Amino acid sequence: MFDMLLHGFGAVLSLDILLLVTLGVAVGIVFGAVPGLTAVMAIALCLPMTYGLSPAAGLALLVALYIGATSGGLISAILLTIPGTPSSIATCFDGAPMMEKGEGAKALGVGIVFSFIGTILSIAALMFIAPSLARIALSFGPHEYFAIAVFSLTLIATLSSGSMIKGIFAGVLGFAFATVGIAPVDAIPRFTFGQVELNSGFSILTVLVGVFAIAEVIKIAERARSERTAVAPPMSMKAIRGFGFSWREFFGQLPNAGRSSAIGIGIGILPGIGAGTSNIISYIVAKKRSRQPEQFGKGTIEGVVASESANNAGIGGALIPLLTLGIPGDAVTAILLGGFMIHGIQPGPMLFITQGPLVYTIFAALVLAAVMMVVLEFYGLRIFIRLLAIPKHILLPIILVLCAVGAFGLSSRIFDIWTILLFGLLGYAFVKAGIPAAPFIIGFILGPMAETNLRRGLMLSEGSFAGFVTNPISGVFLSLAAASVLWHTYRAIRPARQSGVSDLLRA
Amino acid sequence: MSAIDKKEGSIGAVMIAAGATYLYLAQGLPRRGMDVVDSAFVPTVLAVMMCVLGVLQIVAAARHRHDDDTAGGRGPDAGEPKADAGAGQLRAGGSGYLTVLMTLGLIAGYTALLNSVGFPIMTAIYLFLQFLVLTPADARPRPGRYALIAVVAAVSIFATFRYGFELMLPAGWLAGMLG
């Protein structure tokens, strides 16, 4: 393993990849920091740049964007009291009061350093867990893959924000869109209406760019004429030594960071609930375990540490199911999956056997990106603060053009630009109807996996469905899927109770 | 029926309509003999699920109204979230939707003419018009600056991808000049 990792570091420390990782982290931080811009957008608009790159260089750029965008949210969360991404919501709770007390630089320093620690811990977990899990997954057949796909779909649909009915509907609709094109096993064209372009179905990237990036542009267009650009208040960096906090404070926060990172990694592995949830849960846990819980919400570094360690720890966690099973847990890993596929790489257990050096190059790129994140956020903070002031009415149309370029670049077809517009409208309709978009994407990605393995499994068991229940792993996952739906149905029916989050927000 | 119930109910109706349309299309798929699981099986199951979920959504909307009535019209907070909850609480007025329509029109026009007119010209035109459309009401539009940014951005993106990443973006009217 260490040989492979050294080989990976050798690859990423070449000048071109080093520059790409630096660029990726910098662009990612900007997208994370500017409210309304997302990690998905950042990856979507940089995808066309990877078409001409080697897989190692292209994927290093994409993971660097992921790390930068996840961490960048802390800048606006502290300076503007607006989380740049959902993963930095809890950072606002104490980061903003620290800013008001004149401790903005300290809050940023704490956020940057503990984002780094969370990222590194999660990469370590990824490096140790993923190869073992991949070895286990090698023995999986169609029954197991069908059950895992169904389990992931039910989990993401039931755990999504808002109504469970809408979450499940979104997942089913995504699955339905994935049935367009040539059917698995018997190769019958479905819902193509004679259009040759539809024979291969909708590209995952056009769907992702449409639902997340274009829908976001349309959503912001709705408010653009009545919205003012948030401006960061001036912040003095003079008289700040190091990262703005003492070694004693650093060591004192390590248990909090370790616990929050563990929460972030654990939640990151689960499909559907990522950094957007883990930062809040870690914050609640940190508050409960703190010796000074009354200081939470008034500007304590404990809150910033909990939130930022947890959200960045989700990175490694979310990559575990993606790399070992080919199952993305959220929109960002879904678009990363698209990036892998562009380079002809299919994530899954075989990836560790057929593309071992590439996998360890990705691990090395993650570590390098985490280091670059600290360097760029610390030394480039003034530049990022300035970028927060770029008017949205200038930025968004340029992002849209870059998304169109990315879609066109997939197959040099204008058809793909029409597709992102179609899915952009659908994503906007989801926003208006309160339907979560993540289950739609996961349904779109896991649907074909579920259908293909269902049909293969039935062929293996000579048309009997019993094989899916009698197979131990498949049986367990299908039972968990059923239990998840039943539990959430029960919770939806019984009288509403106050959640921990609402308690927290009231406090 | 309160406005929120109507909205939730109509979302359920749209779900049923989508499911029914999909079911109709799925029934047109060729079947393979007596096989239960063929290429029409999954679409049929999905279509039925969509219809059932639509019915459940309407029931939930009706239950919601009932809860509101019994709670003395205290509002929907205890039950299902409002349609826009969690989505940035969008509350657009008429001008917001007009901006959305103009933006969609611009994107559609841009896509339709991209191949024939070419990426550099269409992108510059699109960006210029889109900057104007999205300019906040309290800010003064700056056509000169917008035009400059639009041209520089269009040329930079075109040159970067065509010559840097070898992505053959359509040159259109400039094809003869750009080669």
Side-chain angles (χ1 to χ4, degrees), chain B residues 50-68:
Chain B
M50 284 158 79
C51 292
V52 170
L53 287 164
V55 171
L56 289 175
Q57 171 67 17
I58 290 174
V59 171
R63 211 183 107 193
H64 206 166
R65 182 193 60 176
H66 176 74
D67 289 350
D68 284 358

Side-chain angles (χ1 to χ4, degrees), chain B residues 4-178:
Chain B
I4 183 77
D5 290 334
K6 274 183 188 170
K7 188 172 183 181
E8 292 299 314
S10 47
I11 290 168
V14 172
M15 287 177 176
I16 294 173
T21 309
Y22 190 54
L23 186 62
Y24 172 76
L25 293 171
Q27 295 315 300
L29 291 172
R31 308 303 299 247
R32 283 183 64 184
M34 299 298 287
D35 279 356
V36 176
V37 181
D38 58 8
S39 58
F41 175 76
V42 166
T44 306
V45 171
L46 294 175
V48 171
M49 282 179 76
M50 284 158 79
C51 292
V52 170
L53 287 164
V55 171
L56 289 175
Q57 171 67 17
I58 290 174
V59 171
R63 211 183 107 193
H64 206 166
R65 182 193 60 176
H66 176 74
D67 289 350
D68 284 358
D69 290 347
T70 52
R74 271 190 303 127
D77 296 349
E80 209 168 273
K82 290 177 184 177
D84 282 346
Q89 299 291 334
L90 286 180
R91 290 284 182 274
S95 70
Y97 289 122
L98 184 65
T99 312
V100 169
L101 281 177
M102 287 165 75
T103 298
L104 290 174
L106 282 174
I107 301 171
Y110 172 64
T111 311
L113 298 172
L114 192 62
N115 217 17
S116 51
V117 179
F119 183 88
I121 295 174
M122 268 323 293
T123 300
I125 293 171
Y126 164 74
L127 286 176
F128 176 74
L129 294 176
Q130 188 72 81
F131 293 157
L132 286 175
V133 167
L134 293 183
T135 302
D138 61 343
R140 192 164 59 87
R142 298 169 181 273
R145 184 186 286 183
Y146 291 172
L148 182 69
I149 296 171
V151 171
V152 170
V155 171
S156 310
I157 295 170
F158 183 77
T160 305
F161 284 97
R162 186 154 169 138
Y163 303 113
F165 297 101
E166 295 175 0
L167 182 61
M168 295 305 283
L169 292 167
W173 293 347
L174 302 178
M177 202 169 81
L178 296 167

Side-chain angles (χ1 to χ4, degrees), chain A residues 166 179 186 190 222 225 432 434, chain B residues 8 22 39 83-84 92 135 137:
Chain A
K166 291 177 183 172
T179 59
D186 50 16
R190 295 186 296 195
E222 192 180 310
R225 288 186 61 79
K432 302 308 289 181
Chain B
E8 292 299 314
Y22 190 54
S39 58
D84 282 346
T135 302

